[in-house]
Amino acid sequence: SSDANGWVAYSVEDSASDLTLAANANPYTDNGGSAPNSTGWLKCTYGVNQTNESGIELDISGSPISVDLNESDVTTVTGDMYIHSGSNWDSFSSTIQLRCHIPGYNSSTGNATPGSVYSFDITKTNNHGGDDVRLTFHQTAQLPQDGAVIYFKNITITVFR
């Protein structure tokens, strides 16, 4: 799509404007090499060092979809993430952990290796209602720093009632 489809910055220091979202990006155009050569990626660029959890958030009670999550709903979040390099991450070792927030749960989806597409798939039963889904980075030693770039694509949220 040509816009961020409702995704916004979540808990970014110093302000939400310090995480720039650009739709329909192509990682190969930006990075070359072995980066995926396809359009349609949501490019997230940090403009300031992070010291706490931050990422992107979608309020699913509004546009482009509209659903209020209820206790006992089963929610599945799937998608792809690409991080070209670990050079703009605090204390980077070899992988970066992505966390998915579904109302009532903060669940790590696993570890992404920079330079490879990471496909995530998480399913949880909500333990209370809510209306937001977040994809964040929370590990103290794996926080995005100024200049960190993350790409997301094919994010699908499915709710079973």
Side-chain angles (χ1 to χ4, degrees), residues 139-155:
Q139 293 262 325
T140 303
Q142 298 177 342
L143 295 173
Q145 302 297 288
D146 185 12
V149 178
I150 304 102
Y151 298 87
F152 290 100
K153 188 173 185 177
N154 301 322
I155 300 171

Side-chain angles (χ1 to χ4, degrees), residues 69-132:
L69 297 175
N70 296 322
E71 185 175 338
S72 78
D73 285 349
V74 176
T75 304
T76 299
V77 180
T78 61
D80 299 316
M81 180 178 76
Y82 178 75
I83 298 171
H84 186 70
S85 168
S87 63
N88 293 94
W89 292 79
D90 184 40
S91 303
F92 173 73
S93 58
S94 60
T95 60
I96 295 169
Q97 191 172 75
L98 175 69
R99 175 185 270 185
C100 179
H101 166 86
I102 298 169
Y105 287 97
N106 283 317
S107 298
S108 297
T109 65
N111 295 315
T113 302
S116 299
V117 173
Y118 171 65
S119 295
F120 55 91
D121 182 342
I122 186 160
T123 299
K124 290 289 182 184
T125 301
N126 305 342
N127 67 5
H128 64 74
D131 59 6
D132 60 341

